[in-house]
Amino acid sequence: MRIVLIGSGGREHALAYKIAESKTCSKLFILPGNPGTKQVGENIPIEQNDYLGIVNFCMEQKIDLVVIGPEKPLIDGLTDKLLGKGIKVFGPSLRAARIEGEKSFAKKLMKEFNIPTAAFELFNKENYDDAIIYLHKVSYPIVIKADGIAAGKGVIIADSFEDAREALKECFINSSFGKAGDKVVIEEFMIGQEASLFAITDGSDFVLLPVAQDHKRIYDGDKGKNTGGMGAYAPTPFVTEQIIELIKQEIIIPILKAMSEKDSPYIGCLYCGLMLTNRGPKVVEFNCRFGDPETQVVLPLLDGNFVELLFSAANGKINKGAVVYNGGASVCVVVSSKGYPDNYEKGFEIRGLSQVPKQIKVFHAGTKEVNGKILTNGGRVLGITSFTEKNDLVEAKKIAYEPLAKIHFDGMYYRNDISDKAILYKN
Ligand code: AMP
Ligand code: GLY
């Protein structure tokens, strides 16, 4: 099979490595890819927002399957454009991608179909005064979310009425999130462990991959600002078989049914961001794609034929036996640029990559190659990822951190406690 993968982050490097490993894949192109994806396929300099360029390339190259990594092309309807030309795609349609692109759509659907999630109200820019009145009535903390995608910055946890009013102003008056903030979801603050679950689905049937836990805050101990994710591990001991069964029955089966009923059948990877509350698992958010950095730790835990899983789902009849959990554990430590998630500098040389042992995966995210040197080119730069044959997170953590002594670039930063929550819980 000739396969195209869209994207250029750490998630895409992990996807590229897993796709290339499959015997079904004869050729893998990554558009545009990064210096890491180049090691497992051919990078093509077509940007992920050049939809016409992507469609033309896929037609010229007689591509059998396109896998779309990031949310933006999915929300913009790249799947529909490709399907319109008869090209098979793993990734939801424009209508289905609303599950991430419009938080209000996802929340209303969950309410209608009784899917457990935080209690909420929706407000438009025109109803600013009503929103303020509502904020006087609620208890704090409260969560305010821009309706559209806002580069991971559209969620504000407000500890007081004053903070909440400020957040509303940012959305409605200062237009800090552009159109994405013209509508907001105001929702109840939930307490519990978070978990990320990927459902690979053909629209009705599905396969659940091992459950991961992300580390969203910038500093150790979950302190500081939210980021795209500073590290992850899988599988998480917080989600037992019993909880998975609950999630299936109360969340996955009903949401797939709901999407079909709304003429938006969901084909692709449905990312369920979950909060394990003392009243059971509840949905924090749905994303229309694989998570980053969760993908980096979930994919190494799969044996079997990953391409067959994606292709069979894209084809409408998922092969549920295509992959199995191999019994291992994985830890990914994200190495970032000083200043991230705010402003940071780029262009520093990364040294020591060749000294990292082969069994550790160094997934590239924000890197670029210039004259044979690898330079930093983003906030999240690398994902150092370990894998153990047995489900031993203590060992997986140790292995993931060892190479960090060998890698260096100016302003390099990483958290020291990725997977500690699970290790403490287990012991
Ligand atoms: P989201 O972009 O929706 O994933 O939100 C980013 C992060 O904000 C989540 O990973 C949670 O840590 C936190 N968050 C979002 N919604 C809630 C909520 N209702 N209660 C508590 N924390 C939340
Ligand atoms: N790691 C969070 C996300 O991919 O949305």
Side-chain angles (χ1 to χ4, degrees):
M1 240 181 234
R2 295 168 64 76
I3 300 175
V4 155
L5 170 66
I6 308 292
S8 62
R11 163 185 51 212
E12 284 74 27
H13 188 184
L15 283 165
Y17 127 80
K18 203 65 191 173
I19 290 170
E21 198 183 71
S22 163
K23 61 180 190 305
T24 311
C25 175
S26 59
K27 178 76 191 173
L28 172 62
F29 297 103
I30 308 98
L31 281 53
N34 66 32
T37 61
K38 209 176 92 174
Q39 298 161 12
V40 288
E42 184 177 342
N43 287 351
I44 302 291
I46 296 178
E47 290 306 318
Q48 64 184 42
N49 59 2
D50 177 4
Y51 303 140
L52 187 62
I54 292 171
V55 173
N56 286 340
F57 179 84
C58 293
M59 292 201 332
E60 278 159 24
Q61 291 290 333
K62 302 201 167 19
I63 294 302
D64 300 298
L65 178 68
V66 179
V67 179
I68 303 176
E71 62 275 14
K72 182 78 168 63
L74 291 163
I75 291 168
D76 287 347
L78 178 58
T79 298
D80 308 58
K81 294 186 208 310
L82 288 161
L83 290 176
K85 298 289 182 189
I87 301 161
K88 292 234 151 61
V89 186
F90 179 80
S93 67
L94 181 126
R95 282 182 66 78
R98 289 180 299 162
I99 203 159
E100 175 169 1
E102 293 171 37
K103 286 196 194 308
S104 53
F105 168 77
K107 293 296 288 191
K108 281 194 268 189
L109 208 57
M110 285 189 267
K111 192 172 188 176
E112 184 181 340
F113 286 81
N114 257 324
I115 296 168
T117 188
F120 70 99
E121 289 290 335
L122 299 174
F123 294 95
N124 290 318
K125 202 172 179 171
E126 295 73 41
N127 312 115
Y128 180 66
D129 295 339
D130 296 338
I132 293 286
I133 293 168
Y134 180 72
L135 288 179
H136 274 298
K137 289 192 283 194
V138 298
S139 52
Y140 288 85
I142 194 115
V143 186
I144 299 183
K145 298 183 174 182
D147 188 50
I149 50 168
K153 294 189 177 152
V155 175
I156 300 141
I157 296 172
D159 288 320
S160 63
F161 169 77
E162 286 71 31
D163 288 355
R165 189 178 50 194
E166 277 311 303
L168 262 195
K169 265 195 194 161
E170 287 304 318
C171 292
F172 289 163
I173 300 189
N174 302 339
S175 296
S176 299
F177 306 113
K179 280 223 159 310
D182 283 354
K183 197 189 263 187
V184 299
V185 177
I186 302 183
E187 70 177 29
E188 164 205 9
F189 179 76
M190 298 186 286
I191 295 170
Q193 289 290 337
E194 282 188 68
S196 310
L197 172 63
F198 302 159
I200 308 299
T201 170
D202 60 13
S204 51
D205 219 347
F206 59 90
V207 168
L208 300 182
L209 302 187
V211 191
Q213 189 171 47
D214 190 8
H215 294 62
K216 290 224 163 86
R217 304 298 188 106
I218 185 77
Y219 300 127
D220 284 15
D222 293 338
K223 302 271 183 341
K225 288 194 172 174
N226 254 329
T227 70
M230 292 302 294
Y233 70 86
T236 174
F238 296 111
V239 180
T240 58
E241 283 300 321
Q242 203 183 358
I243 297 178
I244 288 186
E245 198 48 43
L246 256 179
I247 295 169
K248 258 192 208 171
Q249 299 304 329
E250 294 187 354
I251 297 171
I252 309 287
I253 294 172
I255 193 69
L256 294 180
K257 180 164 170 279
M259 293 299 282
S260 291
E261 282 186 23
K262 298 290 173 188
D263 292 325
S264 314
Y266 192 98
I267 296 165
C269 173
L270 179 65
Y271 170 125
C272 305
L274 301 162
M275 189 76 81
L276 308 173
T277 74
N278 58 14
R279 303 180 69 187
K282 293 189 182 187
V283 177
V284 178
E285 60 167 350
F286 287 117
N287 290 325
C288 64
R289 50 167 174 85
F290 287 94
D292 188 342
E294 293 95 326
T295 303
Q296 288 86 316
V297 292
V298 170
L299 300 193
L301 299 183
L302 303 178
D303 277 353
N305 190 336
F306 187 59
V307 169
E308 165 66 11
L309 179 74
L310 305 188
F311 187 70
S312 62
N315 240 345
K317 184 86 192 79
I318 194 167
N319 176 351
K320 293 171 81 169
V323 299
V324 288
Y325 167 49
N326 62 20
S330 179
V331 171
C332 171
V333 182
V334 170
V335 185
S336 66
S337 300
K338 184 177 149 203
Y340 174 77
D342 296 323
N343 298 333
Y344 52 84
E345 289 180 59
K346 299 182 196 175
F348 298 112
E349 185 178 352
I350 306 170
R351 294 202 174 85
L353 289 175
S354 59
Q355 291 176 46
V356 177
K358 285 270 174 293
Q359 67 272 28
I360 291 163
K361 299 260 175 253
V362 177
F363 290 123
H364 287 237
T367 68
K368 73 172 175 188
E369 195 174 332
V370 179
N371 300 329
K373 290 181 177 164
I374 305 291
L375 309 183
T376 66
N377 193 40
R380 291 191 291 173
V381 178
L382 300 166
I384 313 299
T385 309
S386 67
F387 162 72
T388 55
E389 267 180 34
K390 292 211 176 93
N391 182 4
D392 182 347
L393 278 172
V394 175
E395 184 67 11
K397 180 185 176 192
K398 188 166 148 263
I399 298 172
Y401 274 96
E402 270 164 7
L404 284 156
K406 301 193 172 85
I407 298 170
H408 177 78
F409 57 86
D410 285 353
M412 162 173 164
Y413 170 78
Y414 55 87
R415 273 179 66 160
N416 284 293
D417 64 344
I418 304 302
S419 78
D420 279 1
K421 271 187 271 196
I423 292 171
L424 289 171
Y425 174 78
K426 267 189 145 177
N427 296 314

